[in-house]
Amino acid sequence: MAESIIIRIQSPDGVKRISASKRESVATFLKKVAKEFGFINNGFSVYQNRNRTGEISASQNKTLSVLKIKHGDMLFLFPSSAAGPSSDVMDISATVQGARSFSNPPVVEDEIDQYLSKQDGKIYRNRDAQLCRHGPMGKCVHCVPLEPFDEDYLNHLEPPVKHMSFHANIRKLTGGADKGKFVALENISCKIKSGCEGHPPWPEGICTKCQPSAITLNRQKYRHVDNIMFENHTIADRFLDYWRKTGNQRIGYLYGRYTEHKDIPLGIRAEVAAIYEPPQIGAQNSLELLDDPKAKVVNEIAAKLGLTKVGWIFTDLVSEDTRKGTVRYSRNKDSYFLSAEECITAGYFQNKEPNLCRLSPDGHFGSKFVTVVATGGPDNQVHFEGYQVSNQCMALVRDECLLPCRDAPELGYAKESSSEQYVPDVFYKDIDKFGNEITQLARPLPVEYLIIDITTTFPKDPVYTFSTSSNLFSIENRDALGETQDFHSLATYLSQNPSNVFLDIISDFHLLLFLVTNDVMPLQDSISLLLDAVRTRNEELAQTWKKSEQWATIEQLCSTVGVQPSELPDYGAIGGSTHAASSSMWSCVHCTFMNQAGTDNCEMCRLPRT
């Protein structure tokens, strides 16, 4: 009798074990796979490698031993988009109960992840004249290329790098003899598994099959983003202006792009091109985010500009000496770097922006969403500090297992189980007064176990995705400062920027958002050409759009709010003349909409003329 072996098959629904023999034909084995997974035809493919190479087909007419499939090996099953007949139809006579076919399209990772996955990533070193005893074509331990996850190399960088990059960590997992054959980046779950029928549901019953495992917090050895860079100082200065003028704290979303960070092997950099400030209530020591009805539109406009939401930023600034312009240095090793409440908020944002990953059964793992704090530094000047929270923290926040402490911002607290929710035990390791490593229950929990720090920088040579003008358009949601986004502020902005290059005038992130989201004349359906012009820096496309009726109407609205047509730059002319509004029209004092003469109520807001 042929020797019996067990082959593991990993599919989108999990892993199943199938008994076979070494001399069994591929066709017979695939019939067993189809029966086990519930397929009635060849609506799937089986591969020897996760990257869909080494396909096992019934037409090969070979045995498992010829294909070098051994006991305990794992194969990978990928369902096709539509199960149907083909040239390799398998004849399965038995009726399979609960037969099903399903599709699982491959995960499309971010462009930067696709790029880095194709890079060599190794750290090449020159031949050492003193230690190397071989010729110029040889290699030895002193000059052989290092792997991107080499800890000794990272520790000797200036400054030392505590966390390897995410892609370096993937290379570490997929290296070795098995080439990552058994690698699966599993997301942590703190919830009871559903579908367990051997006992009543919680709180009446629980078993080892459905009970989530206890969590021991470890400092994460890798990070998804290795550097945060603001394109220029103007972006940060305009954001800080709100605190400088009011003394109240401020929050904003960072929009930019992910690029390669060449200072760290296979590193990723988050480049910030603009900051969007959502509706909020700020005070000297608190912030409250309000519902933002424009959030979806802002993301769509940013995407058309080639940008994505890469993180969030908030201020924690207290003036130290107004004459010297210094601020208080409050976040340090003796207090905290991020409070527990801020860690929970960061975890909430990171869960909303997951990192797509082909090695995860869920299709996502961790997040590239970053946190930036504008706070006082050791020199009592404003510093920008970057952070992320670990994947363990993301899981605790997602499953509502982590709480802040009221009187100690540097401490979190793992919830206790109740009749409504089962919470697994959470531990962390510490050193006692005798130097012994001990395990502590995370009640309370020092938040430094959850934090990953990221270097935040500004380039020596500023980069400008948007306008470089000194006169910039008003920022949204700053009514408390008297800075409003309306057609009067637009007219003022246009009159203060007499440049003949229309693209330079219109290339302002906040101006583009106003043109799309204003209540009087939103241009969401007719601004795509202009966004393409800004994204590609194409003046010809911008000139084409400025000749549209939409821009002529905007100029008409601007000319009725106190700025004379002669004061507006002549880049909106069509057929040699500007489209000034007729003197018989009147502007609504409530919404600035232009109405025809003879009407008593505004056609837009329906309010009386006076």
Side-chain angles (χ1 to χ4, degrees), residues 156-205:
H156 282 82
L157 289 176
E158 187 60 39
V161 176
K162 296 185 294 183
H163 307 278
M164 72 178 77
S165 66
F166 177 63
H167 281 270
N169 182 61
I170 290 179
R171 296 293 172 91
K172 185 176 182 179
L173 295 176
T174 56
D178 61 356
K179 299 298 181 183
K181 191 174 183 179
F182 305 103
V183 173
L185 299 178
E186 300 280 353
N187 290 295
I188 301 171
S189 176
C190 304
K191 292 184 177 181
I192 296 176
K193 295 180 182 177
S194 59
C196 194
E197 300 177 353
H199 54 79
W202 176 265
E204 281 73 23

Side-chain angles (χ1 to χ4, degrees), residues 110 112-113 163-167 220 222-229 257-259 261 264 266-271 310-311 350 355 367-371 386-388 452-456:
D110 293 342
I112 183 63
D113 294 314
H163 307 278
M164 72 178 77
S165 66
F166 177 63
H167 281 270
Q220 193 165 291
Y222 61 89
R223 55 190 177 189
H224 291 270
V225 174
D226 304 281
N227 179 260
I228 304 168
M229 187 185 76
R257 57 187 69 85
Y258 296 109
T259 60
H261 181 46
I264 295 177
L266 299 179
I268 293 178
R269 166 183 285 161
E271 293 186 0
V310 299
Q350 288 181 206
N355 176 54
S367 173
K368 289 198 282 284
F369 200 82
V370 300
T371 298
Y387 301 98
Q388 277 192 311
I452 302 166
D453 61 303
I454 305 174
T455 306
T456 305

